[in-house]
Amino acid sequence: MKRILYFLCVVTALAQTSCQNDPLEDIEEGKWNNERNVLDIKFENQVGNASIVRVDDLTGTINLAINVDAVPDLSHIVIKEMVLSYGANSSIKEGEALNFENAQKSAELTVTSPTGKSRKYTVVASSFRESLIGTYDIDNLIVYGGTGPEYGGGAVMAMTDKPWIWSATLGPDKELDNQLIFEMTGITEDGNTYGTVTNTAGADGAYADFIYIGDPQTDVKKFYRQIPEGEGKWLRNYAT
């Protein structure tokens, strides 16, 4: 009889437990969640990362840079990615655009928490132009270093100051009529610019071979030919 009573007590306890509320119900309903933050945001043709600041409970600011060389104007800048607080919603969604074509170059979006509280963000887009773009004349090649001061080789000097250590026909002087032409072709997902650089041979049609003709003869092109002959590629890391 004692065993039967014990079994009935266990069954009764389990039945009572099964009737209790779901312990995750309050969490899933979000009644506790007042969070209404923009954690990360990325626009088309944005350069670098956006600076996101929660000013107070009701307001915030987002500052970013847009590559204006890649867009006709700032009137339709599309949001590519946006990360919000858990359960929050934004008045502007991914794939939609903001209009920064005004005197302040600013727009607004509002983030609302699951409990209905909101924070209005002022988004300011500054114009970015890649300063590297352009055509550069090479009129000198300067080297710092050498074998070290103790040997008389530590200096800041033009490579053409020692013509006897280079080829008479393909020495560093062949570079002095060259031009470097930098063009931008895009922006990475991390907001870094990239493009092409064209190293033209100039009027003489020649490049230096960077062969040291001492004893032993040594090819030092790996040190001095950092920008290749003809066309190469460049990437500018704005995080560093």
Side-chain angles (χ1 to χ4, degrees):
M1 187 63 181
K2 289 182 180 179
R3 293 180 180 176
I4 295 175
L5 287 175
Y6 177 74
F7 175 75
L8 290 174
C9 289
V10 172
V11 171
T12 302
L14 289 173
Q16 290 174 345
T17 302
S18 65
C19 294
Q20 291 180 353
N21 292 334
D22 182 354
L24 297 178
E25 183 177 354
D26 289 340
I27 295 176
E28 292 172 349
E29 286 182 358
K31 294 178 181 179
W32 57 273
N33 188 358
N34 296 317
E35 294 300 310
R36 51 204 186 275
N37 305 315
V38 177
L39 302 179
D40 194 16
I41 194 166
K42 189 78 171 181
F43 289 81
E44 286 186 346
N45 296 300
Q46 178 179 321
V47 179
N49 297 320
S51 173
I52 304 171
V53 177
R54 290 176 292 176
V55 177
D56 53 38
D57 283 348
L58 300 178
T59 62
T61 61
I62 301 174
N63 287 277
L64 53 101
I66 298 295
N67 172 30
V68 294
D69 290 317
V71 295
D73 55 53
L74 295 175
S75 65
H76 191 82
I77 305 301
V78 175
I79 299 175
K80 291 177 60 179
E81 300 174 12
M82 182 162 51
V83 181
L84 305 176
S85 302
Y86 175 75
N89 289 295
S90 172
S91 58
I92 307 295
K93 307 294 190 296
E94 289 184 2
E96 297 179 349
L98 292 178
N99 181 1
F100 299 103
E101 197 64 31
N102 52 64
Q104 292 75 32
K105 286 185 167 49
S106 67
E108 292 181 343
L109 63 85
T110 300
V111 179
T112 304
S113 73
T115 57
K117 294 187 176 182
S118 62
R119 175 177 286 113
K120 181 179 291 185
Y121 283 89
T122 300
V123 188
V124 179
S126 59
S127 298
F128 169 87
R129 292 186 185 277
E130 176 52 69
S131 60
L132 189 61
I133 297 172
T135 300
Y136 299 81
D137 294 325
I138 297 178
D139 56 17
N140 210 344
L141 298 178
I142 305 296
V143 174
Y144 170 76
T147 54
E150 63 272 31
Y151 300 106
V156 178
M157 60 180 296
M159 295 182 73
T160 54
D161 284 352
K162 294 184 177 182
W164 59 87
I165 68 172
W166 307 108
S167 163
T169 57
L170 294 175
D173 60 303
K174 297 303 177 185
E175 302 284 315
L176 300 187
D177 62 348
N178 290 13
Q179 286 187 327
L180 301 178
I181 304 169
F182 285 86
E183 298 176 289
M184 192 179 82
T185 56
I187 301 175
T188 69
E189 289 296 320
D190 297 325
N192 297 319
T193 54
Y194 63 90
T196 61
V197 54
T198 303
N199 183 358
T200 68
D204 62 12
Y207 296 94
D209 63 3
F210 294 117
I211 301 295
Y212 169 67
I213 60 174
D215 186 16
Q217 181 170 294
T218 307
D219 185 346
V220 293
K221 185 179 292 185
K222 65 180 180 180
F223 299 115
Y224 301 127
R225 177 60 71 207
Q226 295 301 308
I227 298 179
E229 300 174 11
E231 186 173 295
K233 296 180 180 180
W234 60 268
L235 181 142
R236 192 171 187 179
N237 189 328
Y238 278 87
T240 58

